[in-house]
Amino acid sequence: MRVIQSILIDGHWSSGSHEQQGAVFNPATGEQIASLGFASPADLDLALAAAARGFEVWRKTSAYERSKILRRAADLVRERSQAIAELITLEQGKPLAEAQMEAFGAGDHIDWYAEEGRRAYGRVIPPRQRGARQIVLREPIGPVAAFSPWNFPVSQLVRKIAGALAAGCSIIAKGPEETPSSCIELCRAFQDAGVPPGVLNLVFGVPAQISEYLIHSPVIRKISFTGSVPVGRALGALAGQQLKRCTLELGGHAPFIVCDDVDVEAVAALGAGLKFRNAGQICASPTRFFVQRSVYPQFVSAFSKAGAALRVGAGHLADSQMGPLANPRRVAAMQAYVDDALAVGATLAAGGRPSEAPGFYFAPTVLTDVPDNARVMHEEPFGPIASIVPFDDLQQVIDQANALPFGLAAFAFTRSIARATLLADELQSGMVSINHFGIAAPETPFGGIKDSGYGSEGGSEGLDAYLTTKFVSQVG
Ligand code: NAD
């Protein structure tokens, strides 16, 4: 079995020296396609020393020079995006067209940070004493430990790398063990663009071992994690014990509220497109569809038809519109959510079953009239299940939407300015998108509140996450 050279430390690639190796599967067939070298504690010590040295080099490199290197990396990623997309599809399963958008779009994220890094402005504060200068400087926080997940192997990782590097930080990134190859190619592009050795390091391994080791190290000054709420809670607690700053982008359970004054067919088509993108394995995926009662039957019918019509198949086949789930755990989880919802009184309007073909497939699934006590209404499904329920009163549905501890994304559809304003003001969510899908651009902040985490990636906030504030007061 081919062993992937997965570990980048101080500019050198290796397979790591851990006795254990990972197994990489093709989710479209269920077959193992490669083994993955894991980093041992000794490798992590080397990575930490490299990141400490790399930080000293990189923080002294001008923002202008850093920007030029990052822009070269953006160009290389775009040039190589077809090959990178094929690796995403092979290991993660999404249709090639979605993978191409992810790989090509990574260039946009890098470009954004390349520019924003040149604008890490401080400020000058008028002094009380004549002749004094009061200056606020923004400085890179230090070496970063970043942990990124498998659902968007490239776009989750690129935000962390580009944000840290644009700010002048070095980084040790732990990529997702399920989907390593596109992450490796992303890092190779940064390396080929001229990022000096030690500034960007990539490791894979036993996740809890790596995160504990890195977060405890005095070298690391900042933690960034994207993944589930329980793991985020654990890493946030570790970071807190060490008084280290932390950005946590965790799970969501996005409400999708449809008022009766919209083009119902169009909103249903948009909703189904959003729901089943990446087979629903998106933290901002709409999961709870609340539809005003008078348009409920029409919405359910249009949405279910759109779901049932999706062509499910291997991501590399040109006509596949939804690929397999990333791993068998997700398939088992989907079946359990469906069985539980039906047992407590929901109706199955589409899908509801895994495929009999090999691979980790689960049909696009629509559940209607789902009672509040169904698990899928309060646990993040992270898969291709839409739960649709009717509502009568807008304030009541806002309360229902806000009732969960999650607060990542929320979607609402109405032609009324008054309703749109109320929804934007009252939905407890880090991101509210009204009448379209308008989140996750490089220049806008992406992040949650409540159990969905804290801190943002993207926008000027994404750079701020890697900067500290130094106040200099000077006389003479
Ligand atoms: P998981 O929580 O076991 O893993 C999620 C990610 O975190 C993986 O990449 C994993 O390698 C990493 N991870 C796990 N334990 C870790 C640790 N102790 N230290 C550092 N990294 C660690 O869940 P899973 O079964 O792989 O995925 C399903 C769940 O993960 C979903 O329910 C969803 O909530 C969450 N998830 C969220 C996102 C997101 O974009 N926010 C992405 C992927 C997965």
Side-chain angles (χ1 to χ4, degrees):
M1 182 73 52
R2 179 174 65 97
V3 181
I4 301 173
Q5 289 244 313
S6 53
I7 312 284
L8 173 63
I9 295 174
D10 213 9
H12 302 292
W13 291 94
S14 78
S15 307
S17 64
H18 202 290
E19 66 222 1
Q20 218 175 311
Q21 287 187 337
V24 181
F25 292 89
N26 176 351
T29 62
E31 284 166 2
Q32 186 177 349
I33 48 176
S35 296
L36 178 69
F38 274 8
S40 66
D43 296 323
L44 296 179
D45 283 338
L46 292 176
L48 286 162
R53 283 193 304 276
F55 178 58
E56 286 309 309
V57 172
W58 196 238
R59 76 182 179 87
K60 291 175 191 153
T61 305
S62 72
Y64 173 71
E65 199 52 42
R66 292 197 296 251
S67 174
K68 280 203 298 189
I69 294 173
L70 290 184
R71 292 193 74 116
R72 261 201 304 275
D75 287 341
L76 288 178
V77 167
R78 279 188 284 258
E79 275 167 30
R80 301 172 185 180
S81 61
Q82 178 62 27
I84 295 175
E86 285 170 17
L87 293 171
I88 296 175
T89 292
L90 178 68
E91 294 178 352
Q92 197 269 342
K94 67 185 59 167
L96 196 53
E98 287 182 28
Q100 281 162 335
M101 279 197 309
E102 178 177 351
F104 197 81
D108 276 3
H109 286 280
I110 305 171
D111 272 342
W112 160 260
Y113 278 113
E115 286 304 306
E116 198 63 8
R118 297 171 63 184
R119 302 191 185 100
Y121 301 135
R123 64 191 199 278
V124 179
I125 299 172
R128 294 183 177 204
Q129 181 187 343
R130 190 168 165 72
R133 288 281 178 275
Q134 300 191 129
I135 306 166
V136 178
L137 300 174
R138 309 304 314 280
E139 296 186 336
I141 188 167
V144 174
F147 307 91
S148 67
W150 45 261
N151 60 337
F152 286 92
V154 168
S155 55
Q156 301 276 23
L157 183 59
V158 75
R159 295 182 201 198
K160 298 185 194 303
I161 294 176
L165 264 51
C169 297
S170 59
I171 183 167
I172 303 175
K174 187 196 81 63
E177 288 71 27
E178 292 91 337
T179 55
S181 298
S182 54
C183 303
I184 291 169
E185 291 313 311
L186 175 69
C187 291
R188 211 185 298 282
F190 280 100
Q191 196 184 17
D192 292 349
V195 171
V199 175
L200 167 59
N201 305 279
L202 178 69
V203 297
F204 295 88
V206 181
Q209 276 176 15
I210 296 196
S211 52
E212 245 182 73
Y213 202 85
L214 293 182
I215 295 173
H216 274 112
S217 164
V219 169
I220 296 298
R221 300 309 319 157
K222 158 89 194 183
I223 318 300
S224 178
F225 171 76
T226 301
S228 64
V229 176
V231 176
R233 218 184 275 287
L235 299 197
L238 275 182
Q241 279 164 14
Q242 306 291 317
L243 294 180
K244 291 182 183 174
R245 259 169 69 195
C246 192
T247 297
L248 297 174
E249 203 271 273
L250 308 179
H253 209 316
F256 186 103
I257 298 172
V258 183
C259 296
D260 58 4
D261 57 1
V262 298
D263 177 342
V264 177
E265 305 280 328
V267 174
L270 178 79
L274 274 182
K275 171 68 255 181
F276 298 117
R277 195 176 141 229
N278 201 14
Q281 301 165 113
I282 304 182
C283 48
S285 179
T287 44
R288 294 173 293 155
F289 292 79
F290 298 108
V291 182
Q292 204 154 2
R293 197 172 294 277
S294 61
V295 295
Y296 183 71
Q298 192 189 353
F299 183 90
V300 166
S301 158
F303 191 100
S304 308
K305 264 191 216 138
L310 282 175
R311 290 186 301 275
V312 179
H316 68 275
L317 300 175
D319 65 347
S320 294
Q321 294 170 306
M322 193 183 97
L325 302 188
N327 57 52
R329 295 194 301 281
R330 302 284 358 116
V331 179
M334 292 313 107
Q335 192 64 67
Y337 284 128
V338 171
D339 293 347
D340 169 76
L342 297 182
V344 296
T347 301
L348 185 64
R353 288 179 313 279
S355 149
E356 284 179 12
F360 312 140
Y361 294 98
F362 199 88
T365 295
V366 183
L367 295 165
T368 60
D369 300 296
V370 190
D372 249 0
N373 62 342
R375 280 178 51 209
V376 72
M377 287 299 280
H378 47 93
E379 292 175 24
E380 182 183 27
F382 218 68
I385 301 182
S387 302
I388 314 184
V389 290
F391 79 86
D392 295 302
D393 175 76
L394 193 59
Q395 188 53 55
Q396 254 175 21
V397 83
I398 290 173
D399 294 343
Q400 218 176 334
N402 289 342
L404 298 189
F406 298 102
L408 186 62
F411 303 90
F413 292 81
T414 176
R415 286 199 182 120
S416 150
I417 292 177
R419 283 171 167 181
T421 308
L422 181 75
L423 285 155
D425 286 349
E426 295 301 319
L427 284 169
Q428 294 169 3
S429 183
M431 297 171 286
V432 179
S433 190
I434 297 186
N435 291 331
H436 75 149
F437 178 77
I439 60 177
E443 58 276 15
T444 60
F446 188 100
I449 59 170
K450 297 161 72 180
D451 279 6
S452 295
Y454 41 76
S456 296
E457 299 190 299
S460 52
E461 291 83 353
L463 186 74
D464 199 58
Y466 297 101
L467 295 169
T468 53
T469 298
K470 180 187 276 176
F471 171 59
V472 178
S473 181
Q474 182 180 335
V475 177

